[in-house]
Amino acid sequence: MSRLKGIIKNSNTVVNTMHSLVESEIRESNINFNYDLLPELNETEKQELINCEKSLLFQGKQFGNVTFEIGKSLHKAKEVLKKTDGDSFMKWYEALGLNKDQVSIFMGRYQLTIDYPNAKERILMLSDVAVKETLNKKTDTEVLNKVLNGEISTSQQIKLARKNISRALEIDEAEIVGNNKVEYEKVEKLIKKIESKLKKEVDFE
């Protein structure tokens, strides 16, 4: 009986320690929202929202770790199933209740953390939609780097960054075409001037 009490006591100590660690990590979480933009709220209400945000950020981090492990397991399963027929992997993950889009995001997020280990924490905090936009073929290296360094993190920000770069390229191309047109007109005028001069010389002879 005393031994059982000792086990229960030790278990309670471990639970309490883990609880304290979780609370400590939540308290130390950095907030993203500027609560000064909400002058209608008093300090107590703002603090309540801050606590909610920190809790959500912490839970998001834990969820990110779960998605990492799922992606890792999917990669391993795919490697093993390479020896079988072509759609075995799809049949396998569908039996688990997953669809192609979900698997693509899980595996894509995992691969991003492998390719860019220094940005692992940021990648794990991205929403599924943001991961999907990051993996989009239209997302170039410049936009990807902005995601990895934390400059942008939402799907809308990624889309906007991609659009802005596309516009910048269009402007550059237009300027090149414009400059080429100016150069062409200069050359054309020079040729006409030379032709005119040669014609005068021939007529003079």
Side-chain angles (χ1 to χ4, degrees):
M1 189 71 176
S2 60
R3 184 180 178 186
L4 179 60
K5 287 181 178 178
I7 293 172
I8 293 173
K9 184 178 180 181
N10 289 336
S11 297
N12 288 336
T13 301
V14 171
V15 171
N16 289 334
T17 301
M18 291 299 294
H19 186 66
S20 297
L21 289 171
V22 168
E23 286 188 335
S24 175
E25 189 166 348
I26 291 175
R27 283 196 302 272
E28 292 173 3
S29 298
N30 294 320
I31 60 174
N32 297 321
F33 187 79
N34 180 9
Y35 290 93
D36 291 334
L37 298 174
L38 302 172
E40 305 90 346
L41 302 182
N42 60 42
E43 290 304 313
T44 302
E45 290 168 330
K46 287 180 182 179
Q47 188 57 52
E48 188 174 349
L49 281 175
I50 289 171
N51 292 338
C52 288
E53 180 182 345
K54 288 185 175 184
S55 179
L56 287 170
L57 289 172
F58 175 77
Q59 296 302 329
K61 185 176 180 181
Q62 302 311 305
F63 179 72
N65 291 330
V66 171
T67 61
F68 172 83
E69 292 300 328
I70 292 173
K72 184 178 180 180
S73 295
L74 286 168
H75 267 275
K76 286 182 179 179
K78 188 175 183 179
E79 285 298 315
V80 173
L81 290 169
K82 276 183 177 180
K83 298 177 181 179
T84 61
D85 64 88
D87 61 350
S88 292
F89 179 58
M90 183 181 70
K91 291 177 181 176
W92 181 82
Y93 68 66
E94 284 181 344
L96 296 174
L98 298 172
N99 59 45
K100 185 178 179 180
D101 197 44
Q102 291 170 323
V103 170
S104 177
I105 291 171
F106 279 131
M107 296 182 70
R109 187 193 298 270
Y110 173 76
Q111 192 59 53
L112 281 172
T113 63
I114 299 303
D115 294 339
Y116 308 99
N118 292 336
K120 180 178 178 179
E121 189 171 335
R122 289 195 184 98
I123 294 167
L124 294 182
M125 290 295 289
L126 293 172
S127 68
D128 286 353
V129 183
V131 170
K132 191 173 182 178
E133 288 302 327
T134 302
L135 297 170
N136 191 310
K137 291 180 180 179
K138 294 179 182 178
T139 301
D140 64 7
T141 305
E142 187 175 345
V143 176
L144 176 60
N145 287 333
K146 287 184 177 182
V147 174
L148 298 176
N149 64 30
E151 188 177 338
I152 56 177
S153 59
T154 68
S155 61
Q156 289 300 320
Q157 288 173 334
I158 296 168
K159 287 179 181 178
L160 181 61
R162 201 164 57 212
K163 192 174 182 179
N164 288 340
I165 289 175
S166 178
R167 282 178 179 173
L169 289 174
E170 287 176 2
I171 291 171
D172 287 343
E173 288 175 0
E175 287 179 350
I176 290 170
V177 170
N179 291 336
N180 287 343
K181 186 178 180 181
V182 170
E183 292 299 320
Y184 174 79
E185 288 175 351
K186 285 181 180 179
V187 172
E188 191 175 32
K189 286 180 180 178
L190 181 60
I191 292 172
K192 285 181 179 179
K193 188 176 181 180
I194 293 171
E195 288 177 343
S196 177
K197 185 178 180 180
L198 290 173
K199 187 178 180 182
K200 286 178 180 179
E201 289 178 354
V202 170
D203 291 341
F204 179 77
E205 289 176 357

